Amino acid sequence: GGPGSGDVLDLEELRPLGAGGMGEVLLAEQHSLHRKVAIKRLLSTLPKPSRDHAARLLLEEARLTGGLEHPNIVPVHSLVRGPDGGPLLVMKALEGVDWEALLANPNHPGWGQNLGKDSLVRNLEILLQVCNAIHFAHSHLIIHRDIKPANVVVGAYGEVYLVDWGLALQLDESGR
């Protein structure tokens, strides 16, 4: 399809946001909706057997995360095929700071309007939001398996997102 049909041509890569062992996240412009989005894709340097495995993991992450619509879980917009044939997970672009950086510096500008608040109170508020996301995921039989401050993003208006669901597992009804 043409621009605006949801295909990869509608996305213009802007800059890298982060990378892991198998994938990377980029900031992109989605022209049809005039908005910034985040794209998670496979590293181009992965050898074929690793690439096939990583593609399956990214597809599973897209499926699990895409089914979890909650205020503390990053919204998934779409799953498309990239120019290289690999999957691209298109998500909301988050503007914020990871909780790890905030924990390391009580005066971090990322605390925004909460800068004057008691440090214990503001950290407990973030933890409660993470717990809300986990409770919701568990109610859908999904376990995150990589909860850590680096995987929590805090926005300028106090919004809290649990990110990086790449290791998440879907349990069956019996809990296996």
Side-chain angles (χ1 to χ4, degrees):
S5 66
D7 62 22
V8 71
L9 301 175
D10 189 33
L11 301 169
E12 177 188 348
E13 295 172 10
L14 299 176
R15 64 180 168 84
L17 294 173
M22 294 189 291
E24 61 186 343
V25 179
L26 305 154
L27 183 67
E29 177 75 27
Q30 186 179 22
H31 292 289
S32 61
L33 295 176
H34 305 287
R35 68 177 175 184
K36 302 277 192 291
V37 294
I39 301 171
K40 188 169 189 177
R41 69 177 181 194
L42 304 177
L43 291 172
S44 57
T45 54
L46 285 177
K48 176 84 170 115
S50 298
R51 188 171 183 76
D52 292 344
H53 176 69
R56 282 192 299 278
L57 292 176
L58 184 56
L59 289 170
E60 182 68 6
E61 178 182 356
R63 187 183 69 75
L64 292 179
T65 313
L68 293 175
E69 293 191 31
H70 185 273
N72 301 116
I73 298 173
V74 183
V76 171
H77 297 316
S78 64
L79 179 64
V80 297
R81 187 178 306 277
D84 64 356
L88 293 180
L89 177 55
V90 183
M91 305 169 285
K92 175 180 177 149
L94 300 179
E95 293 185 30
V97 180
D98 68 64
W99 193 17
E100 185 174 61
L102 296 175
L103 285 167
N105 180 1
N107 298 313
H108 193 291
W111 283 114
Q113 30 189 209
N114 292 316
L115 193 55
K117 262 192 189 172
D118 177 77
S119 154
L120 178 61
V121 170
R122 46 187 194 197
N123 283 298
L124 284 173
E125 288 172 348
I126 292 169
L127 180 60
L128 283 172
Q129 297 303 306
V130 173
C131 290
N132 286 337
I134 292 306
H135 177 65
F136 181 79
H138 288 182
S139 74
H140 287 78
L141 301 175
I142 295 173
I143 300 178
H144 187 281
R145 298 196 320 159
D146 196 19
I147 301 169
K148 58 187 178 187
N151 284 340
V152 175
V153 175
V154 180
Y157 299 98
E159 64 276 27
V160 175
Y161 294 99
L162 180 59
V163 300
D164 197 354
W165 292 77
L167 295 178
L169 281 181
Q170 171 88 53
L171 303 177
D172 63 22
E173 294 298 324
S174 68
R176 293 183 184 180

Short mmCIF file of all heavy atoms in Angstrom, two decimals, residues 73-124:
data_model
loop_
_atom_site.label_atom_id
_atom_site.label_comp_id
_atom_site.label_asym_id
_atom_site.label_seq_id
_atom_site.Cartn_x
_atom_site.Cartn_y
_atom_site.Cartn_z
N ILE A 73 1.73 0.08 30.50
CA ILE A 73 2.40 -0.79 29.53
C ILE A 73 2.42 -0.06 28.20
O ILE A 73 1.41 0.47 27.76
CB ILE A 73 1.69 -2.16 29.43
CG1 ILE A 73 1.74 -2.87 30.79
CG2 ILE A 73 2.33 -3.01 28.34
CD1 ILE A 73 0.94 -4.14 30.88
N VAL A 74 3.59 -0.02 27.56
CA VAL A 74 3.75 0.74 26.32
C VAL A 74 2.78 0.23 25.25
O VAL A 74 2.77 -0.96 24.94
CB VAL A 74 5.19 0.59 25.77
CG1 VAL A 74 5.38 1.44 24.53
CG2 VAL A 74 6.21 0.97 26.81
N PRO A 75 1.97 1.13 24.68
CA PRO A 75 1.04 0.72 23.63
C PRO A 75 1.79 0.28 22.35
O PRO A 75 2.72 0.94 21.91
CB PRO A 75 0.22 1.97 23.34
CG PRO A 75 0.40 2.85 24.54
CD PRO A 75 1.77 2.52 25.09
N VAL A 76 1.35 -0.85 21.81
CA VAL A 76 1.88 -1.34 20.54
C VAL A 76 0.93 -0.85 19.45
O VAL A 76 -0.28 -1.08 19.53
CB VAL A 76 1.95 -2.88 20.53
CG1 VAL A 76 2.29 -3.41 19.14
CG2 VAL A 76 2.98 -3.36 21.55
N HIS A 77 1.47 -0.15 18.45
CA HIS A 77 0.64 0.37 17.36
C HIS A 77 0.46 -0.66 16.25
O HIS A 77 -0.63 -0.82 15.72
CB HIS A 77 1.23 1.65 16.79
CG HIS A 77 1.30 2.78 17.76
ND1 HIS A 77 0.26 3.11 18.61
CD2 HIS A 77 2.29 3.67 18.02
CE1 HIS A 77 0.61 4.16 19.35
NE2 HIS A 77 1.83 4.51 19.01
N SER A 78 1.55 -1.33 15.88
CA SER A 78 1.44 -2.31 14.79
C SER A 78 2.67 -3.19 14.73
O SER A 78 3.70 -2.91 15.36
CB SER A 78 1.23 -1.61 13.44
OG SER A 78 2.36 -0.83 13.10
N LEU A 79 2.55 -4.24 13.95
CA LEU A 79 3.64 -5.15 13.64
C LEU A 79 3.70 -5.19 12.12
O LEU A 79 2.71 -5.55 11.48
CB LEU A 79 3.37 -6.53 14.24
CG LEU A 79 4.42 -7.60 13.98
CD1 LEU A 79 5.75 -7.23 14.64
CD2 LEU A 79 3.93 -8.94 14.53
N VAL A 80 4.82 -4.78 11.55
CA VAL A 80 4.96 -4.74 10.09
C VAL A 80 6.24 -5.45 9.68
O VAL A 80 7.10 -5.74 10.51
CB VAL A 80 4.95 -3.28 9.54
CG1 VAL A 80 3.63 -2.59 9.83
CG2 VAL A 80 6.10 -2.47 10.11
N ARG A 81 6.35 -5.70 8.39
CA ARG A 81 7.56 -6.32 7.83
C ARG A 81 8.50 -5.21 7.38
O ARG A 81 8.10 -4.31 6.65
CB ARG A 81 7.20 -7.23 6.66
CG ARG A 81 8.35 -8.04 6.13
CD ARG A 81 7.92 -8.96 5.00
NE ARG A 81 6.81 -9.82 5.34
CZ ARG A 81 6.90 -10.98 6.00
NH1 ARG A 81 8.08 -11.40 6.40
NH2 ARG A 81 5.84 -11.71 6.25
N GLY A 82 9.74 -5.28 7.84
CA GLY A 82 10.73 -4.28 7.46
C GLY A 82 11.27 -4.51 6.07
O GLY A 82 10.98 -5.53 5.43
N PRO A 83 12.06 -3.56 5.57
CA PRO A 83 12.64 -3.69 4.23
C PRO A 83 13.48 -4.95 4.06
O PRO A 83 13.58 -5.50 2.97
CB PRO A 83 13.52 -2.44 4.08
CG PRO A 83 13.10 -1.51 5.16
CD PRO A 83 12.45 -2.33 6.23
N ASP A 84 14.07 -5.44 5.17
CA ASP A 84 14.90 -6.65 5.13
C ASP A 84 14.06 -7.92 5.30
O ASP A 84 14.60 -9.02 5.36
CB ASP A 84 15.98 -6.59 6.19
CG ASP A 84 15.43 -6.57 7.61
OD1 ASP A 84 14.19 -6.53 7.78
OD2 ASP A 84 16.24 -6.60 8.56
N GLY A 85 12.75 -7.77 5.41
CA GLY A 85 11.87 -8.92 5.58
C GLY A 85 11.64 -9.29 7.04
O GLY A 85 10.77 -10.11 7.34
N GLY A 86 12.40 -8.69 7.95
CA GLY A 86 12.25 -8.99 9.37
C GLY A 86 11.11 -8.20 9.99
O GLY A 86 10.64 -7.22 9.42
N PRO A 87 10.68 -8.63 11.18
CA PRO A 87 9.57 -7.94 11.84
C PRO A 87 9.99 -6.59 12.43
O PRO A 87 11.12 -6.43 12.89
CB PRO A 87 9.16 -8.91 12.95
CG PRO A 87 10.39 -9.71 13.23
CD PRO A 87 11.15 -9.78 11.94
N LEU A 88 9.08 -5.63 12.38
CA LEU A 88 9.26 -4.33 13.04
C LEU A 88 8.08 -4.15 13.99
O LEU A 88 6.93 -4.19 13.57
CB LEU A 88 9.24 -3.18 12.04
CG LEU A 88 10.37 -3.03 11.04
CD1 LEU A 88 10.12 -1.82 10.15
CD2 LEU A 88 11.70 -2.90 11.74
N LEU A 89 8.37 -3.95 15.24
CA LEU A 89 7.35 -3.70 16.25
C LEU A 89 7.26 -2.19 16.42
O LEU A 89 8.24 -1.54 16.78
CB LEU A 89 7.76 -4.38 17.55
CG LEU A 89 6.88 -4.21 18.78
CD1 LEU A 89 5.45 -4.61 18.51
CD2 LEU A 89 7.45 -5.01 19.94
N VAL A 90 6.10 -1.60 16.09
CA VAL A 90 5.91 -0.16 16.14
C VAL A 90 5.11 0.17 17.41
O VAL A 90 4.01 -0.33 17.60
CB VAL A 90 5.17 0.36 14.89
CG1 VAL A 90 5.04 1.88 14.93
CG2 VAL A 90 5.88 -0.09 13.62
N MET A 91 5.71 0.99 18.28
CA MET A 91 5.13 1.30 19.58
C MET A 91 5.10 2.81 19.82
O MET A 91 5.73 3.57 19.09
CB MET A 91 6.00 0.68 20.69
CG MET A 91 6.24 -0.80 20.57
SD MET A 91 7.52 -1.37 21.71
CE MET A 91 9.00 -0.76 20.92
N LYS A 92 4.41 3.19 20.87
CA LYS A 92 4.42 4.58 21.31
C LYS A 92 5.86 4.96 21.64
O LYS A 92 6.59 4.21 22.28
CB LYS A 92 3.55 4.73 22.56
CG LYS A 92 3.59 6.11 23.17
CD LYS A 92 2.71 6.21 24.39
CE LYS A 92 2.86 7.60 24.99
NZ LYS A 92 1.66 8.05 25.64
N ALA A 93 6.26 6.15 21.20
CA ALA A 93 7.58 6.67 21.57
C ALA A 93 7.45 7.31 22.95
O ALA A 93 6.61 8.18 23.16
CB ALA A 93 8.06 7.69 20.55
N LEU A 94 8.26 6.84 23.88
CA LEU A 94 8.19 7.36 25.24
C LEU A 94 9.18 8.49 25.42
O LEU A 94 10.32 8.40 24.98
CB LEU A 94 8.51 6.24 26.25
CG LEU A 94 7.59 5.03 26.22
CD1 LEU A 94 8.05 4.02 27.25
CD2 LEU A 94 6.15 5.43 26.43
N GLU A 95 8.74 9.53 26.10
CA GLU A 95 9.64 10.62 26.46
C GLU A 95 9.77 10.58 27.96
O GLU A 95 8.80 10.79 28.69
CB GLU A 95 9.07 11.96 25.99
CG GLU A 95 9.04 12.08 24.49
CD GLU A 95 8.61 13.46 24.04
OE1 GLU A 95 8.86 14.44 24.76
OE2 GLU A 95 8.00 13.54 22.97
N GLY A 96 10.95 10.25 28.42
CA GLY A 96 11.15 10.16 29.86
C GLY A 96 12.53 9.65 30.20
O GLY A 96 13.42 9.61 29.35
N VAL A 97 12.66 9.24 31.44
CA VAL A 97 13.94 8.80 31.98
C VAL A 97 13.72 7.45 32.64
O VAL A 97 12.69 7.23 33.27
CB VAL A 97 14.44 9.81 33.05
CG1 VAL A 97 15.77 9.39 33.64
CG2 VAL A 97 14.53 11.21 32.47
N ASP A 98 14.69 6.54 32.50
CA ASP A 98 14.51 5.27 33.18
C ASP A 98 14.69 5.46 34.68
O ASP A 98 15.41 6.34 35.14
CB ASP A 98 15.39 4.17 32.59
CG ASP A 98 16.86 4.35 32.84
OD1 ASP A 98 17.27 4.30 34.02
OD2 ASP A 98 17.61 4.50 31.86
N TRP A 99 13.98 4.64 35.42
CA TRP A 99 13.94 4.74 36.88
C TRP A 99 15.33 4.54 37.48
O TRP A 99 15.67 5.14 38.49
CB TRP A 99 12.94 3.72 37.41
CG TRP A 99 12.55 3.86 38.85
CD1 TRP A 99 12.72 4.95 39.66
CD2 TRP A 99 11.90 2.89 39.65
NE1 TRP A 99 12.21 4.70 40.90
CE2 TRP A 99 11.70 3.44 40.93
CE3 TRP A 99 11.46 1.59 39.41
CZ2 TRP A 99 11.08 2.74 41.96
CZ3 TRP A 99 10.84 0.90 40.43
CH2 TRP A 99 10.66 1.47 41.70
N GLU A 100 16.16 3.74 36.82
CA GLU A 100 17.52 3.51 37.30
C GLU A 100 18.28 4.83 37.41
O GLU A 100 18.96 5.10 38.41
CB GLU A 100 18.25 2.55 36.37
CG GLU A 100 19.63 2.15 36.83
CD GLU A 100 20.24 1.08 35.94
OE1 GLU A 100 20.42 1.33 34.73
OE2 GLU A 100 20.51 0.00 36.47
N ALA A 101 18.16 5.69 36.40
CA ALA A 101 18.83 6.99 36.41
C ALA A 101 18.26 7.88 37.51
O ALA A 101 19.00 8.62 38.17
CB ALA A 101 18.70 7.68 35.05
N LEU A 102 16.96 7.80 37.73
CA LEU A 102 16.33 8.61 38.79
C LEU A 102 16.76 8.14 40.17
O LEU A 102 17.00 8.95 41.07
CB LEU A 102 14.81 8.57 38.66
CG LEU A 102 14.24 9.19 37.37
CD1 LEU A 102 12.74 8.98 37.32
CD2 LEU A 102 14.60 10.66 37.27
N LEU A 103 16.86 6.83 40.35
CA LEU A 103 17.30 6.29 41.64
C LEU A 103 18.74 6.71 41.95
O LEU A 103 19.09 6.94 43.11
CB LEU A 103 17.20 4.76 41.64
CG LEU A 103 15.80 4.19 41.77
CD1 LEU A 103 15.81 2.69 41.44
CD2 LEU A 103 15.23 4.43 43.15
N ALA A 104 19.55 6.80 40.91
CA ALA A 104 20.96 7.15 41.10
C ALA A 104 21.16 8.62 41.45
O ALA A 104 22.19 9.00 42.00
CB ALA A 104 21.75 6.81 39.83
N ASN A 105 20.15 9.47 41.12
CA ASN A 105 20.32 10.90 41.32
C ASN A 105 19.00 11.53 41.80
O ASN A 105 18.13 11.82 41.00
CB ASN A 105 20.77 11.58 40.03
CG ASN A 105 20.95 13.07 40.17
OD1 ASN A 105 20.77 13.64 41.24
ND2 ASN A 105 21.32 13.71 39.07
N PRO A 106 18.87 11.74 43.12
CA PRO A 106 17.63 12.32 43.65
C PRO A 106 17.33 13.73 43.12
O PRO A 106 16.21 14.21 43.24
CB PRO A 106 17.84 12.35 45.16
CG PRO A 106 19.17 11.76 45.43
CD PRO A 106 19.84 11.44 44.13
N ASN A 107 18.33 14.38 42.53
CA ASN A 107 18.13 15.73 41.98
C ASN A 107 18.06 15.72 40.44
O ASN A 107 18.18 16.78 39.82
CB ASN A 107 19.26 16.65 42.44
CG ASN A 107 19.26 16.80 43.95
OD1 ASN A 107 18.22 17.04 44.55
ND2 ASN A 107 20.42 16.63 44.56
N HIS A 108 17.87 14.55 39.85
CA HIS A 108 17.80 14.43 38.39
C HIS A 108 16.65 15.30 37.87
O HIS A 108 15.55 15.28 38.42
CB HIS A 108 17.56 12.96 38.02
CG HIS A 108 17.77 12.67 36.57
ND1 HIS A 108 16.94 13.13 35.58
CD2 HIS A 108 18.73 11.94 35.95
CE1 HIS A 108 17.37 12.71 34.42
NE2 HIS A 108 18.45 11.98 34.61
N PRO A 109 16.88 16.06 36.80
CA PRO A 109 15.81 16.90 36.24
C PRO A 109 14.61 16.07 35.76
O PRO A 109 13.50 16.59 35.64
CB PRO A 109 16.46 17.64 35.09
CG PRO A 109 17.79 17.02 34.87
CD PRO A 109 18.15 16.25 36.10
N GLY A 110 14.81 14.78 35.54
CA GLY A 110 13.73 13.90 35.13
C GLY A 110 12.64 13.73 36.18
O GLY A 110 11.55 13.25 35.87
N TRP A 111 12.93 14.14 37.41
CA TRP A 111 11.90 14.08 38.44
C TRP A 111 10.82 15.13 38.17
O TRP A 111 9.72 15.03 38.70
CB TRP A 111 12.49 14.29 39.84
CG TRP A 111 13.19 13.08 40.38
CD1 TRP A 111 14.53 12.95 40.62
CD2 TRP A 111 12.60 11.84 40.75
NE1 TRP A 111 14.79 11.70 41.11
CE2 TRP A 111 13.62 11.00 41.21
CE3 TRP A 111 11.30 11.34 40.74
CZ2 TRP A 111 13.40 9.69 41.65
CZ3 TRP A 111 11.06 10.04 41.17
CH2 TRP A 111 12.11 9.23 41.62
N GLY A 112 11.14 16.13 37.35
CA GLY A 112 10.16 17.14 36.95
C GLY A 112 9.46 17.78 38.12
O GLY A 112 10.09 18.22 39.08
N GLN A 113 8.12 17.81 38.07
CA GLN A 113 7.33 18.47 39.11
C GLN A 113 7.39 17.73 40.45
O GLN A 113 6.98 18.26 41.46
CB GLN A 113 5.87 18.64 38.66
CG GLN A 113 5.41 17.58 37.74
CD GLN A 113 4.05 17.84 37.10
OE1 GLN A 113 3.40 16.89 36.80
NE2 GLN A 113 3.64 19.06 36.87
N ASN A 114 7.95 16.52 40.46
CA ASN A 114 8.08 15.76 41.70
C ASN A 114 9.41 15.99 42.40
O ASN A 114 9.69 15.36 43.42
CB ASN A 114 7.91 14.26 41.44
CG ASN A 114 6.51 13.92 41.04
OD1 ASN A 114 5.55 14.40 41.63
ND2 ASN A 114 6.37 13.10 40.01
N LEU A 115 10.22 16.90 41.85
CA LEU A 115 11.57 17.12 42.39
C LEU A 115 11.56 17.49 43.87
O LEU A 115 12.39 17.01 44.62
CB LEU A 115 12.28 18.20 41.57
CG LEU A 115 13.79 18.34 41.79
CD1 LEU A 115 14.49 17.00 41.56
CD2 LEU A 115 14.37 19.36 40.85
N GLY A 116 10.61 18.25 44.32
CA GLY A 116 10.57 18.68 45.72
C GLY A 116 10.00 17.65 46.68
O GLY A 116 10.13 17.78 47.89
N LYS A 117 9.37 16.60 46.14
CA LYS A 117 8.74 15.59 46.99
C LYS A 117 9.77 14.73 47.70
O LYS A 117 10.89 14.56 47.24
CB LYS A 117 7.89 14.65 46.12
CG LYS A 117 6.44 14.96 46.08
CD LYS A 117 5.74 13.77 45.42
CE LYS A 117 4.30 14.10 45.15
NZ LYS A 117 3.67 13.05 44.37
N ASP A 118 9.33 14.13 48.80
CA ASP A 118 10.15 13.19 49.52
C ASP A 118 10.54 12.03 48.58
O ASP A 118 9.70 11.48 47.88
CB ASP A 118 9.36 12.66 50.73
CG ASP A 118 10.13 11.61 51.49
OD1 ASP A 118 11.05 11.97 52.24
OD2 ASP A 118 9.79 10.42 51.32
N SER A 119 11.82 11.66 48.60
CA SER A 119 12.35 10.64 47.71
C SER A 119 11.66 9.28 47.91
O SER A 119 11.35 8.59 46.94
CB SER A 119 13.85 10.55 47.95
OG SER A 119 14.37 9.32 47.63
N LEU A 120 11.39 8.89 49.14
CA LEU A 120 10.72 7.62 49.41
C LEU A 120 9.31 7.63 48.81
O LEU A 120 8.90 6.67 48.15
CB LEU A 120 10.65 7.34 50.91
CG LEU A 120 9.92 6.06 51.31
CD1 LEU A 120 10.60 4.82 50.71
CD2 LEU A 120 9.83 5.95 52.83
N VAL A 121 8.60 8.73 48.99
CA VAL A 121 7.23 8.85 48.47
C VAL A 121 7.22 8.74 46.95
O VAL A 121 6.45 7.97 46.37
CB VAL A 121 6.57 10.17 48.93
CG1 VAL A 121 5.25 10.41 48.20
CG2 VAL A 121 6.36 10.15 50.43
N ARG A 122 8.10 9.48 46.27
CA ARG A 122 8.06 9.44 44.80
C ARG A 122 8.47 8.06 44.26
O ARG A 122 7.92 7.60 43.27
CB ARG A 122 8.84 10.57 44.16
CG ARG A 122 10.17 10.86 44.67
CD ARG A 122 10.79 12.12 44.06
NE ARG A 122 12.20 12.05 44.42
CZ ARG A 122 13.03 13.03 44.39
NH1 ARG A 122 12.63 14.21 43.99
NH2 ARG A 122 14.28 12.87 44.72
N ASN A 123 9.41 7.39 44.92
CA ASN A 123 9.79 6.05 44.47
C ASN A 123 8.69 5.03 44.74
O ASN A 123 8.46 4.13 43.93
CB ASN A 123 11.12 5.62 45.10
CG ASN A 123 12.29 6.28 44.41
OD1 ASN A 123 12.52 6.07 43.22
ND2 ASN A 123 13.03 7.09 45.15
N LEU A 124 7.99 5.16 45.85
CA LEU A 124 6.87 4.26 46.14
C LEU A 124 5.74 4.46 45.13
O LEU A 124 5.08 3.50 44.72
CB LEU A 124 6.35 4.46 47.57
CG LEU A 124 7.22 3.84 48.67
CD1 LEU A 124 6.70 4.25 50.05
CD2 LEU A 124 7.29 2.34 48.54
#
